[in-house]
Amino acid sequence: MTRQLTYSARFRRNYVTVFAVALFFLMVASEIALAVSIPAYMNRENVMAEELLRRETLLRFDALRGMCAAISGGDEVLMLEKQLIANALDNLAIYLRTEASNLTSEEIGELNRLTREVERILHVLRSGRSFSRENRLDSSAYIDALVAKYAGKETK
């Protein structure tokens, strides 16, 4: 008669087992919470960064309008260039007043690049230099030649 050995573990419900099972479910729940909360947090951070860039761009835009209004004096060409930029900024301000909250991140980036370029242009204008040159045509030689040619024909 051989005895057959059976191995079995007797499961007892004691405080260590309950603690281990509770700890396991707590770890699974915390991993699920992290898997859900990290993308939400990153999205919120991206939205905050985009909003910060939007605000900085709009503040720079308003500063450019003030800088453009402060430019005075200079020659006529410089003042016409200043007026051209001022009109463009005023038209863009009307658009931004209604649509600033609807701008995409690409549009905000483009507006940011545009404001930096206009700022560079306004610094050049503020220093008294203009981008255009007035070219004067001296047509007196041509007119004198034409007058001489046709004045000689009338006397004959």
Side-chain angles (χ1 to χ4, degrees):
M1 293 208 179
T2 50
R3 261 187 168 179
Q4 199 173 25
L5 292 174
T6 50
Y7 295 102
S8 68
R10 292 187 180 162
F11 184 71
R12 287 196 212 160
R13 292 185 179 219
N14 57 18
Y15 65 93
V16 175
T17 308
V18 171
F19 180 70
V21 170
L23 190 61
F24 172 75
F25 283 115
L26 181 66
M27 285 180 14
V28 170
S30 66
E31 287 179 8
I32 291 171
L34 282 174
V36 171
S37 67
I38 288 177
Y41 175 75
M42 293 304 290
N43 187 30
R44 189 177 77 220
E45 287 298 313
N46 288 342
V47 168
M48 294 299 286
E50 185 178 307
E51 184 64 27
L52 181 64
L53 182 61
R54 175 182 285 124
R55 299 278 179 184
E56 287 176 353
T57 302
L58 292 175
L59 286 174
R60 184 180 300 117
F61 180 78
D62 288 337
L64 288 178
R65 291 181 69 203
M67 184 188 301
C68 189
I71 295 174
S72 62
D75 60 347
E76 181 182 4
V77 174
L78 186 133
M79 294 311 290
L80 288 173
E81 288 175 351
K82 174 220 162 212
Q83 189 61 42
L84 183 67
I85 293 172
N87 289 342
L89 290 175
D90 289 342
N91 289 334
L92 190 56
I94 293 168
Y95 171 76
L96 288 177
R97 201 171 294 131
T98 59
E99 298 296 324
S101 61
N102 299 330
L103 293 177
T104 65
S105 59
E106 293 83 22
E107 292 170 334
I108 293 168
E110 182 65 24
L111 182 62
N112 194 13
R113 187 197 62 75
L114 175 72
T115 55
R116 289 180 193 276
E117 183 66 23
V118 170
E119 185 175 16
R120 185 190 65 78
I121 291 170
L122 287 177
H123 282 298
V124 170
L125 292 178
R126 213 162 68 176
S127 69
R129 296 178 292 159
S130 66
F131 289 94
S132 303
R133 279 185 284 194
E134 184 177 357
N135 294 328
R136 295 193 181 259
L137 178 65
D138 185 17
S139 61
S140 61
Y142 301 111
I143 293 177
D144 291 341
L146 287 173
V147 168
K149 179 180 176 182
Y150 291 109
K153 287 185 179 180
E154 290 180 11
T155 56
K156 290 183 180 179

